[in-house]
Amino acid sequence: MASLISSSSRASRSLSVGAVIALVVTLGACTPRPNGPEPTAEEFFAALATGDTGAAAELSDRPADARAALNEAWSGLQATGLDAQILSSKYAEDTGSIAYRYTWHLPKNRTWAYDGTLNMVRDEGRWEVRWSATGLHPRLGENQTFALRADAPPRASVNERSGTNVLVPGYRYGFALDARAAGGDLMPTARAVVDALRRFDPTLDPQRLAEQASSTKGPLSLITLRQADRDAVAGAIGALPGVVITPQPEMVPTDENFAPTLVDEVKKTVADDLDGSPGWRVVTVNQNGVDVEILNEVPGEPAPSVTISLDRAVQDAAQNAVDSTDKQAMIVVIRPSTGEILAVAQNAAADREGPIATMGLYPPGSTFKIVTAGAAIERDMATPNTLLGCPGQLDIGHRTVPNYGGFDLGTVPMSRAFASSCNTTFAELASRMPPRGLTQAAAQYGIGPDYNIAGLSTVSGSVPPTVNLTERTEDGFGQGKVLVSPFGMAMAAATVAAGRTPVPHLIDGRETAVNGDRDQIPAAVVDDLRPMMRLVVTNGTAKDLQGAGDVRGKTGEAEFAGGSHSWFTGYRGDMAFSALIVGGGSSEYAVRMLKYMLDSLPDGYLG
């Protein structure tokens, strides 16, 4: 009959040996072999299971060697417990063997089980363990012991919507200067280091570097470089005395030009989600501590990859478009049906100002007429076919509102006034709205609420209520106190495209919290706005977009002291977008930039 001796933790080693032996004897009484080696083996296993290596060793023919080996095994495995089971036994004359199964309990709820054979010998009528390393494991050699090795957890990658990797496990490289290791070569080494690293840090000075390194305990940290930059300088300074280059595991971008600011923020946000479960191994080591053989290996499990909503095709097309101008330029693209953020592109000039595509606030100019027109329709002030005045200029209160260049269309349907961007028409409509009229309408189009988007900081815009007639008039055509980000205007376009305000998000599985009023736009208003926005392209101020598909939108030129911003906001199929060139002048430049993006996409992409 097989017997089982176990211990669930190291704490159980305090169990008295006498109690264990009593248990073993009871179990052994089932086996009618009183002269066999099994009772001694059971006593040996009981002592071993409780960690009483001394008692176990005294049951062997070489107590000192056995005790040392058993202690090393417990220590090398960092074991918390051991279950020992006798599977079978046999003997003939004065020799015998016991087939056993050990199950070691290791840190972090790990277990390691295996079978082996314990050799037994009878000396003067008394059975004892014939000690050898195989009493611990059949493949453990003499003068060897166990060691538990942990393997770093594999890291997951971050991919974009179409499946290509954006961030992958890699390394950055830390550079340091160790004055003690450099010795008499400190100054020449410092000069060479400064020459090599000056392209990354022009403030480096050889004399000051040598002095700082000399007064620093240990190596002086200098700079951390990406792989390509490390490769460019390591050949020149990597072998110099005192130069220390240390690889540092980090998630690295597969393309340094792919939405770098946004991807860096994503990396910070998902850092704790990318580590999988670590792997571990039990190895044999020789007396010099060198690994000899792997006895058991459990590979680590990677965490699931993280997906972000950016679409590589859209992001690349948007980036190429904004890079076509030297002025600060940006494009934000949102998928109306899902709220996925498909692209956030800024050129180098914009990058110097920070994440202004999603947080920069600017007067939206005539793009805001989407909101004003929607508010007028919802309040039954007008329909697309209602005839309204579009004079070259209009006095409202203390403000004279002009059309661009002073053009005068006379009396026209609101849809024509919208397509031709009549400031006077929409100023007059806004002047008749209540103080909170445009504020409430803007919120229906996603402008005003705060969006707490994981991995992306945003400000949609500000449309403050006002009792001041002049301010309300100016707000109606996107001047006045109205300020909106390109992200906010993209949300407005996405609202018209989807018929409701989508909840924007960037990282799959991370919900966006929305704070603030956001009543939904009535379906009838959407039905009226969509053909008006199409008329802007077919017969209005965005004719340059003809041939780019069924694009619907609104142009805008927003004046500020010393110039004007160039805007276009709209949608095509399941893509809503907003393009802004800061100080770009006429809206035609934003239109052309947006067309550049659309022309770079495959035909019918997300149509």
Side-chain angles (χ1 to χ4, degrees), residues 145-149 281-285 291 293-296:
T145 190
F146 301 132
L148 178 64
R149 304 286 192 226
R281 292 165 289 135
V282 175
V283 299
T284 59
V285 296
D291 290 7
E293 183 182 5
I294 297 174
L295 298 179
N296 186 67

Side-chain angles (χ1 to χ4, degrees), residues 62-415:
R62 292 160 50 200
D65 292 343
R67 182 169 187 172
L70 294 172
N71 285 337
E72 287 177 351
W74 274 93
S75 175
L77 291 174
Q78 306 167 45
T80 60
L82 171 65
D83 299 338
Q85 182 180 6
I86 294 177
L87 302 178
S88 64
S89 67
K90 62 182 179 179
Y91 73 99
E93 302 297 335
D94 293 331
T95 61
S97 63
I98 302 292
Y100 64 78
R101 176 170 295 156
Y102 287 159
T103 302
W104 291 94
H105 297 273
L106 308 179
K108 299 183 179 179
N109 297 317
R110 300 163 177 158
T111 58
W112 175 40
Y114 55 86
D115 297 346
T117 301
L118 188 69
N119 293 318
M120 307 293 292
V121 63
R122 182 161 50 186
D123 183 23
E124 297 181 355
R126 174 177 175 271
W127 285 99
E128 58 187 7
V129 175
R130 175 173 286 176
W131 180 253
S132 69
T134 57
L136 278 170
H137 192 282
R139 284 156 52 196
L140 186 67
E142 294 299 324
N143 300 316
Q144 294 180 359
T145 190
F146 301 132
L148 178 64
R149 304 286 192 226
D151 296 324
R155 305 203 79 187
S157 60
V158 177
N159 52 60
E160 48 81 37
R161 179 176 173 271
S162 63
T164 66
N165 285 334
V166 173
L167 287 167
V168 294
Y171 293 93
R172 299 284 188 181
Y173 295 84
F175 282 69
L177 180 58
D178 189 332
R180 178 170 296 183
D185 292 318
L186 177 59
M187 202 59 216
T189 294
R191 292 193 190 97
V193 166
V194 169
D195 287 342
L197 299 183
R198 184 175 282 119
R199 75 181 83 170
F200 310 111
D201 185 355
T203 66
L204 290 175
D205 175 79
Q207 184 64 42
R208 186 169 65 251
L209 186 60
E211 293 172 356
Q212 290 175 332
S214 297
S215 61
T216 300
K217 185 178 180 180
L220 172 67
S221 295
L222 303 176
I223 198 170
T224 300
L225 299 180
R226 60 182 183 171
Q227 175 80 47
D229 293 332
R230 178 262 181 202
D231 294 345
V233 301
I237 62 174
L240 295 179
V243 173
V244 181
I245 304 176
T246 306
Q248 303 168 355
E250 187 173 330
M251 297 300 294
V252 298
T254 56
D255 181 352
E256 297 281 353
N257 297 315
F258 185 83
T261 302
L262 188 150
V263 168
D264 189 58
E265 189 63 29
V266 167
K267 179 171 69 174
K268 297 174 186 176
T269 303
V270 303
D272 295 337
D273 299 334
L274 300 177
D275 285 334
S277 60
W280 57 279
R281 292 165 289 135
V282 175
V283 299
T284 59
V285 296
N286 61 23
Q287 60 266 43
N288 297 318
V290 177
D291 290 7
V292 176
E293 183 182 5
I294 297 174
L295 298 179
N296 186 67
E297 184 171 22
V298 177
E301 295 183 5
S305 61
V306 173
T307 299
I308 60 175
S309 62
L310 291 188
D311 184 300
R312 186 172 294 277
V314 179
Q315 178 67 36
D316 287 347
Q319 189 65 53
N320 290 336
V322 298
D323 288 342
S324 65
T325 177
D326 293 333
K327 295 181 181 292
Q328 295 176 16
M330 59 216 81
I331 295 175
V332 176
V333 185
I334 297 172
R335 191 172 190 184
S337 64
T338 62
E340 293 170 287
I341 297 167
L342 301 179
V344 177
Q346 299 187 164
N347 63 4
D351 283 341
R352 288 192 286 269
E353 300 298 319
I356 56 177
T358 58
M359 297 192 72
L361 294 177
Y362 306 87
S366 293
T367 60
F368 195 72
K369 290 171 184 172
I370 296 171
V371 175
T372 306
I377 294 169
E378 185 173 356
R379 292 179 177 277
D380 295 326
M381 298 171 65
T383 70
N385 297 321
T386 299
L387 295 177
L388 300 172
C390 177
Q393 66 179 40
L394 182 66
D395 294 327
I396 301 178
H398 300 292
R399 174 73 154 95
T400 298
V401 178
N403 285 334
Y404 181 76
F407 72 87
D408 186 336
L409 298 182
T411 301
V412 294
M414 184 173 70
S415 59

